[in-house]
Amino acid sequence: MNNKKSLVNIMAIISVSSLIYFMQLNASTLPYIAKSFPQYDMTAIKMFSTLPYFMLIICPLIEWKLLQHFTMKEIVLFSCVVMVITGTALYGCSGLPEMLILRIIYGTGYGLVFPLASALVQHMFEGKQRDKMMGIRTAFGALCGSGMALVGGWLTSIHWRRTFLGYLLIIPVFILVYFFCPSNEPMPARKKKNERIFTRKTWLLLPFAFILNICIISFSVELSLVLVGEGLGDAQEVSRVFAVNTIFAFGAGIIFGFVKQKLGKCVLLAATGLIGTGLLLGAVS
């Protein structure tokens, strides 16, 4: 793969990472949705946040098959269309069941684009430049995530339905990817029918990844409910907490290339330790 790409090409590739942080728009809305639909129990309300994550489990399992027929760019563009339509359509929903259906469809786009944010960088760059661009991708996505949380909190303070208009910000990403993101050929099908998709190491990592993500998702879902429910803050305060939580990933992304060179394979262990420490401190505070 040719590493010589213009600045606008790089911007288009990196912009895909912003799509996975649009979930931050609704970081502070959950308590207000609960107040608007008191006839539903909290389990049903929480599904508004958890259903897209559930689709994040389902969609990557079928994406490898889609990549044999479509390019990464085409799947990203399709995901953009799904996310912007279903995200903004929530503004006009009058009932929770309709909102949950739209969240499932939104989760389809979210689940498809999530692995491609990294895969595009890995496919388009090589060697040390790949590590550098992976760090920049993380930093840019984290910066967008902090911005999304703050925008979502501001819109929620006006009315919680206004946050869904924030999904219109996906349109500039769509335009940038459509015109400037390099494309690739569809992935070739596996030649050997008995070729394994998952290695032994993959199976060993799956339970670890499952538990880690359960903890992270639970933290994201419960935080706004606790802060608002306990009277510790309003929508804007919740958004600031999420923004601070995300902005540290910006610094981590900037130094990722350097840290990876120093720690090698241990970088995953170090990152997991920091996440676990943060979650533990949050739980006991």
Side-chain angles (χ1 to χ4, degrees), residues 196-256:
R196 293 185 301 176
I197 300 176
F198 298 112
T199 64
R200 182 181 177 184
K201 289 184 178 180
T202 304
W203 286 112
L204 291 174
L205 285 172
L206 282 177
F208 163 77
F210 179 78
I211 295 172
L212 179 63
N213 281 283
I214 287 294
C215 294
I216 295 174
I217 293 170
S218 298
F219 172 82
S220 300
V221 172
E222 296 291 342
L223 183 60
S224 61
L225 293 172
V226 171
L227 290 178
V228 176
E230 298 294 329
L232 300 176
D234 56 7
Q236 290 190 323
E237 188 67 28
V238 173
S239 69
R240 283 191 286 269
V241 172
F242 273 96
V244 171
N245 178 57
T246 309
I247 198 61
F248 277 95
F250 174 79
I254 293 296
I255 64 173
F256 176 79

Side-chain angles (χ1 to χ4, degrees), residues 89-198:
L90 288 165
Y91 182 83
C93 286
S94 58
L96 184 62
E98 294 90 341
M99 295 177 69
L100 295 182
I101 292 173
L102 285 174
R103 289 300 274 179
I104 293 174
I105 302 173
Y106 175 88
T108 301
Y110 176 70
L112 289 174
V113 81
F114 191 96
L116 293 184
S118 296
L120 270 172
V121 175
Q122 293 173 357
H123 182 76
M124 298 294 177
F125 301 95
E126 297 176 347
K128 292 182 179 180
Q129 188 179 17
R130 177 187 295 169
D131 293 339
K132 179 181 178 181
M133 295 310 300
M134 283 294 290
I136 293 175
R137 181 202 73 83
T138 301
F140 177 77
L143 188 63
C144 289
S146 295
M148 292 298 170
L150 294 174
V151 169
W154 172 65
L155 291 173
T156 302
S157 67
I158 301 173
H159 193 281
W160 64 268
R161 289 187 180 274
R162 293 289 183 90
T163 59
F164 304 131
L165 298 179
Y167 288 104
L168 292 172
L169 294 172
I170 295 176
I171 295 176
V173 179
F174 176 91
I175 294 173
L176 193 60
V177 172
Y178 182 83
F179 287 104
F180 301 108
C181 183
S183 188
N184 67 295
E185 295 297 325
M187 301 293 184
R190 290 181 298 137
K191 296 180 179 180
K192 299 179 181 179
K193 292 184 178 181
N194 60 346
E195 184 180 350
R196 293 185 301 176
I197 300 176
F198 298 112

Side-chain angles (χ1 to χ4, degrees), residues 46-81:
K46 290 179 181 179
M47 289 176 67
F48 179 84
S49 293
T50 56
L51 281 174
Y53 291 117
F54 175 75
M55 297 306 296
L56 181 58
I57 300 173
I58 302 298
C59 291
L61 295 176
I62 63 172
E63 189 163 32
W64 68 273
K65 194 68 175 178
L66 293 176
L67 287 170
Q68 295 177 9
H69 303 280
F70 304 98
T71 66
M72 293 183 188
K73 179 177 179 178
E74 289 170 340
I75 295 177
V76 169
L77 292 174
F78 171 77
S79 299
C80 286
V81 173

Side-chain angles (χ1 to χ4, degrees), residues 263-277:
L263 298 182
K265 294 182 179 180
C266 293
V267 68
L268 177 61
L269 182 62
T272 305
L274 290 172
I275 293 173
T277 302

